[in-house]
């Protein structure tokens, strides 16, 4: 069973940037898809960005042009570069891996955007 460990969250002012990382415990080269989701207080968990094994990406409308998802095979790491952060981006961000019909989740990392 693969394990996912997120890092990179923190407190940032509006307009600032953060880069989240998700380290996988094994190779992600054959993974069907990986993605970032977020859960804000009082809201349901929502997809932020996703990347498939072929490199296709899709983004939620609310992050298009601001966030970029990427992965690094040698280090088995998924990234989420977040720019122009807004108050509404405050949430716990979770890394997700989909493979052979199984979803695996990380423990989450808190992102707080506040002035």
């Amino acid at each position: 069973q693969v394990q996912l460990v997120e890092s990179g969250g923190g407190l940032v002012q509006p307009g600032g940037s953060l880069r989240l990382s998700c380290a996988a415990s094994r190779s992600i080269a054959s993974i069907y898809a990986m993605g970032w989701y977020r859960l804000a207080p009082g809201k349901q968990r929502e997809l932020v960005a996703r990347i498939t094994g072929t490199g296709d990406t899709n983004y939620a409308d609310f992050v298009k042009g601001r966030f970029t998802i990427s992965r690094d095979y040698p280090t088995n790491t998924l990234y989420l570069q977040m720019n122009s952060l807004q108050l509404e981006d405050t949430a716990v961000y979770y890394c997700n891996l989909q493979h052979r019909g199984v979803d695996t989740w990380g423990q989450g990392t808190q992102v707080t955007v506040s002035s």
Side-chain angles (χ1 to χ4, degrees):
Q1 180 76 10
V2 64
Q3 293 182 331
L4 304 173
V5 179
E6 300 102 330
S7 61
L11 174 63
V12 63
Q13 292 184 340
S17 298
L18 284 174
R19 188 176 79 157
L20 304 184
S21 300
C22 171
S25 60
R26 66 168 180 84
S27 173
I28 61 173
S30 62
I31 296 301
Y32 174 70
M34 294 186 75
W36 290 96
Y37 291 73
R38 71 186 188 185
L39 180 62
K43 296 185 177 180
Q44 293 186 333
R45 184 170 59 193
E46 56 188 356
L47 173 69
V48 176
R50 186 171 177 265
I51 184 167
T52 69
T54 57
D56 295 326
T57 59
N58 63 286
Y59 295 89
D61 287 343
F62 53 77
V63 303
K64 283 183 179 177
R66 300 189 298 126
F67 292 8
T68 303
I69 190 170
S70 63
R71 62 192 174 191
D72 182 66
Y73 285 137
T75 60
N76 301 319
T77 303
L78 180 74
Y79 296 102
L80 184 68
Q81 178 66 43
M82 305 187 295
N83 299 326
S84 301
L85 283 161
Q86 305 168 356
L87 298 176
E88 299 74 30
D89 295 318
T90 295
V92 178
Y93 285 71
Y94 295 90
C95 177
N96 169 265
L97 183 153
Q98 297 175 340
H99 188 60
R100 295 183 178 180
V102 178
D103 274 295
T104 302
W105 296 90
Q107 83 288 352
T109 185
Q110 175 71 46
V111 172
T112 302
V113 184
S114 175
S115 56

